[in-house]
Amino acid sequence: MTSLLELRDATKVYSGGLFKRRATVALENNYISVSGEHPTILAIAGESGSGKTTMGMLMLGFIEPSSGQVLYKGQDLWQLPKPVWKEFRREVQAIFQDPFEVYNPFYKVDHVLTVPIRKFRLANTREQEHDLIEQALTSVGLRPDETLGRYPHQLSGGQRQRITVARALLLDPKVIIADEPVSMIDASLRATVLKSLRSLRDDVGISILYITHDLATAYHISDEIVVLYQGGVAEAGSVEAVIQEPKHPYTQLLVASIPWPDPKRRWGQDAVLTQGDVFHLETQGCKFAPRCARAMDICRQSRPPLFQTEPSRAVTCYLYQDSPVLEPSEIGRVLGQNGRRAEQAQGATPAPGVPQVGLPG
Ligand SMILES: Nc1ncnc2c1ncn2[C@@H]1O[C@H](COP(=O)(O)OP(=O)(O)OP(=O)(O)O)[C@@H](O)[C@H]1O
Ligand SMILES: [Mg+2]
C-alpha cells in the first residue's frame, strides 16, 4: 500500500554560512511514512536542533532534501506534475509554532480564510464563501461574530492558533504537520488546541505529524513517536511503550526531564540536558556516545543500526544488540501498527511520573 507522504532515505545538509566552516547535517537517512487511510498522530520529538522542523519542512515541500526523496502518493514531490502538486498543497497542511508570524497585521483575519477559498476555488458565490468560513470557525470552537472583522492583534494567541487550524480545515486536508503548535500559548488553551488536534484524527480522519520537544503532550495526544537525536532516529514505536519504558539512554534522559508532579522530586534533578555538539558527517560511532553514561567501546567505533526490541518498538542502541536488526526502510513495521490509541487505551493506566496536562475529554 502506498503511503500518502513519505521520507525515503532523506538527508538534509545545510551548507555552512559565512562564519561556519562546516555544513550541518540536520537530518540523516530518514525514513518516515504517513498513511492516508489510518488516521494517526505521530509525534516527532527531540531536543532543540535535533532536526524536527527540518523533517516537517521537507514533508511540506518547503525545502528540498540534499539526498533521498520525499514522496507524495509514491511520487517524488519535486517532480510532481502541476495538478498533482496542487492536490498535494491542499491535502498536506501546516500549523506553525507562532501563528502571529503568518498573519499580516494590516489584514483582518477574514483574509487568512478567504485567500485559500479563492486560491483553490472552494466556493462559487460570496454566500458559499461565508458559509464555509463560518463552518470552519465553528468547528474549532470559535464564534464567527466574535472573530470575523478583527485584526490579528485583537485576538488572543489561542484564538489566532485556532484560526490557523480552521484555515487548514477549510482545505479538507489528509495530513496536518503541526510544528510546536501549542508552545506559544498558555496551559489552559494548550489543552483546548491539543484536544482539537485529537478530534481532527477521530472525527475528521486526519493524520497529524505532531512536532514537539514536549514529551508530556506527545504522550497525551499521540499514537506513535519517533525520537530524533541529531538528525537520526534514536527510538521509535508506540507512544505508550516509548514513554512509559524508554529504552534508548537519550529517551531515558528526555523522559527523566519531564517535570514531575511529585513535589519532593525537583525538576531536572536526575539529568541535566544540554545541547549536544553539532554533528558532522565524518563522526564515527553512535552520535549519542559522547553524552551516554552507558557507552561501550563498540558505540564509539561504529554506528548502531535499529534494533527491533518489541513488535512495536525499535531502538538505535547497542545495548539491545541481541534483538533483530531492522533496516531503516523497515521502520514502518514498528510504526504503522499501533492503531488508534483510543482503542488500546481502554482501561490503560497513566504512565507513572508522566504529568497530566489536564486535557479535557
Ligand atoms: N536554514 C538553515 N541553515 C543552516 N542551518 C540550519 C537551518 N535550519 C536549521 N539548521 C540547523 O539544522 C539543525 C536542525 O534544526 P531544526 O530547526 O530542524 O531543529 P529542531 O529540532 O526543529 O529544533 P527546535 O526544537 O529548536 O525547533 C540545527 O543544528 C540547526 O541549527
Ligand atoms: Mg523546530
Side-chain angles (χ1 to χ4, degrees):
M1 192 184 59
T2 315
S3 37
L4 189 81
L5 196 57
E6 188 179 338
L7 287 188
R8 190 177 289 174
D9 203 16
T11 293
K12 180 66 189 178
V13 181
Y14 293 108
S15 57
L18 202 54
F19 301 104
K20 269 176 110 180
R21 271 173 295 139
R22 290 199 280 190
T24 305
V25 182
L27 211 63
E28 197 194 12
N29 305 112
N30 265 263
Y31 289 80
I32 295 290
S33 69
V34 179
S35 150
E37 312 206 340
H38 307 288
T40 313
I41 303 185
L42 170 63
I44 306 294
E47 66 196 322
S48 184
S50 54
K52 305 181 297 293
T53 295
T54 301
M55 183 181 269
M57 304 271 270
L58 283 171
M59 292 183 109
L60 283 162
F62 290 173
I63 53 173
E64 217 173 332
S66 312
S67 65
Q69 288 177 303
V70 186
L71 303 174
Y72 169 66
K73 296 183 178 166
Q75 286 180 273
D76 190 318
L77 197 60
W78 291 87
Q79 317 280 336
L80 289 182
K82 218 172 168 195
V84 189
W85 173 261
K86 207 166 174 193
E87 181 189 308
F88 162 78
R89 271 273 151 271
R90 200 175 150 171
E91 288 199 334
V92 182
Q93 290 297 318
I95 301 177
F96 288 114
Q97 188 159 6
D98 183 1
F100 208 69
E101 281 177 5
V102 305
Y103 291 117
N104 183 328
F106 301 110
Y107 284 125
K108 291 179 179 162
V109 294
D110 313 36
H111 184 75
V112 175
L113 300 165
T114 45
V115 166
I117 292 181
R118 292 182 190 170
K119 187 169 164 207
F120 289 94
R121 300 209 174 89
L122 305 179
N124 296 323
T125 62
R126 286 286 156 101
E127 257 186 351
Q128 274 181 5
E129 185 174 287
H130 189 77
D131 288 349
L132 276 178
I133 290 177
E134 289 214 332
Q135 276 168 24
L137 289 174
T138 316
S139 70
V140 295
L142 289 171
R143 288 183 46 183
D145 55 327
E146 285 180 357
T147 329
L148 296 173
R150 293 204 186 175
Y151 288 96
H153 70 271
Q154 294 174 315
L155 297 171
S156 73
Q159 285 171 327
R160 280 198 298 268
Q161 185 62 283
R162 276 187 273 170
I163 286 171
T164 49
V165 178
R167 181 192 174 280
L169 284 180
L170 269 178
L171 296 168
D172 192 18
K174 296 243 162 50
V175 178
I176 288 183
I177 296 180
D179 191 345
E180 304 279 9
V182 294
S183 62
M184 305 292 286
I185 54 186
D186 65 46
S188 55
L189 280 170
R190 194 173 299 164
T192 318
V193 173
L194 287 173
K195 191 180 173 228
S196 62
L197 289 185
R198 226 166 36 176
S199 69
L200 291 183
R201 176 198 61 188
D202 298 337
D203 307 335
V204 197
I206 296 176
S207 283
I208 296 168
L209 203 71
Y210 175 58
I211 297 176
T212 185
H213 62 275
D214 176 11
L215 288 183
T217 57
Y219 178 78
H220 281 290
I221 71 159
S222 316
D223 305 295
E224 309 177 313
I225 187 165
V226 169
V227 179
L228 288 182
Y229 183 72
Q230 293 190 359
V233 173
E235 184 161 355
S238 89
V239 79
E240 301 281 345
V242 172
I243 299 201
Q244 291 199 31
E245 197 217 328
K247 283 206 149 80
H248 195 291
Y250 174 59
T251 323
Q252 289 170 353
L253 265 181
L254 286 180
V255 171
S257 70
I258 296 176
W260 297 79
D262 180 352
K264 281 185 275 178
R265 188 164 186 157
R266 284 210 221 113
W267 186 7
Q269 196 170 323
D270 300 308
V272 179
L273 275 181
T274 50
Q275 168 99 41
D277 292 336
V278 174
F279 167 72
H280 300 288
L281 262 183
E282 62 268 33
T283 305
Q284 273 191 342
C286 172
K287 299 173 190 180
F288 188 64
R291 290 168 72 188
C292 184
R294 301 175 70 187
M296 305 172 284
D297 286 345
I298 188 174
C299 307
R300 297 185 193 92
Q301 287 152 10
S302 73
R303 193 72 64 78
L306 268 176
F307 293 103
Q308 183 173 9
T309 57
E310 291 137 70
S312 61
R313 174 167 9 193
V315 192
T316 311
C317 175
Y318 282 120
L319 289 172
Y320 308 97
Q321 56 187 313
D322 293 339
S323 303
V325 170
L326 203 62
E327 291 300 321
S329 58
E330 294 174 325
I331 194 170
R333 284 205 201 162
V334 296
L335 294 172
Q337 57 167 310
N338 295 302
R340 299 261 287 260
R341 192 164 165 233
E343 285 158 17
Q344 313 171 340
Q346 308 275 329
T349 46
V354 174
Q356 304 295 310
V357 289
L359 272 179

